[in-house]
């Protein structure tokens, strides 16, 4: 099951989006924090970087211990790169490329986000 889940997560570049999934109203996402949404079998962490007026989405699965925890991590900035720190062991990942910024872990999958009429949409490729 976990293997299937892992294979399911892969970064979706904006130009590859074929489906915009209507996740929830903006107000459902904490300011400068994250929340988890489910799209089919995928858990997606969505971050409302309100101090920068930006939104990001990535897999909720931390690649280290395979736990669904990234939405509960702390967001921040690493030399201008928006990042998420896993709440378990503080490994950090770029929210732009998915790269592990403080280690050798596999990158996480990143998904495009758009805001329309007060709703948050996440882009997938199918
Ligand atoms: S489980 Fe996420 S950094 Fe260890």
């Amino acid at each position: 099951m976990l293997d299937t889940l892992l294979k399911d997560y892969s970064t979706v570049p904006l130009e590859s989006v074929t489906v915009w999934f209507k996740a929830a109203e903006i107000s459902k996402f904490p300011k400068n924090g994250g929340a988890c949404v489910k799209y089919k079998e995928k858990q997606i962490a969505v971050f409302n970087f309100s101090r920068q007026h930006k939104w990001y989405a990535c897999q909720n699965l931390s690649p280290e211990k395979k736990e669904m925890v990234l939405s509960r991590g702390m967001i921040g900035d690493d030399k201008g790169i928006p990042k998420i720190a896993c709440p378990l062991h503080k490994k950090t990942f770029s929210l732009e490329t998915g790269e592990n910024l403080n280690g050798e872990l596999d990158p996480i999958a990143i998904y495009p986000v758009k805001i329309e009429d007060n709703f948050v949409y996440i882009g997938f490729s199918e």
Side-chain angles (χ1 to χ4, degrees):
M1 168 69 187
L2 195 57
D3 283 353
T4 321
L5 211 59
L6 291 176
K7 274 189 231 126
D8 258 19
Y9 286 115
S10 52
T11 289
V12 177
L14 186 58
E15 60 275 15
S16 305
V17 170
T18 54
V19 176
W20 284 104
F21 168 61
K22 192 176 189 178
E25 271 184 53
I26 287 177
S27 60
K28 303 282 186 223
F29 298 89
K31 289 190 173 166
N32 294 307
C36 179
V37 301
K38 205 159 177 227
Y39 175 69
K40 299 188 175 172
E41 295 306 309
K42 295 180 175 62
Q43 283 191 29
I44 306 293
V46 179
F47 299 100
N48 176 4
F49 240 78
S50 49
R51 63 177 171 262
Q52 294 180 4
H53 308 288
K54 295 242 173 98
W55 290 78
Y56 297 96
C58 68
Q59 67 185 49
N60 195 29
L61 186 82
S62 174
E64 189 174 54
K65 297 283 185 214
K66 318 293 186 233
E67 299 276 351
M68 294 290 184
V69 291
L70 290 183
S71 65
R72 293 191 272 120
M74 286 266 289
I75 55 175
D77 185 285
D78 186 342
K79 299 179 200 99
I81 301 170
K83 66 174 183 183
I84 174 66
C86 177
L88 295 185
H89 310 107
K90 311 296 181 244
K91 294 284 166 49
T92 59
F93 300 87
S94 161
L95 286 168
E96 286 176 342
T97 65
E99 179 196 352
N100 179 201
L101 298 169
N102 61 353
E104 305 288 317
L105 294 172
D106 288 342
I108 57 172
I110 301 294
Y111 301 87
V113 180
K114 73 172 181 179
I115 307 296
E116 255 176 42
D117 297 332
N118 268 336
F119 274 86
V120 179
Y121 293 78
I122 304 166
F124 293 98
S125 177
E126 301 196 326

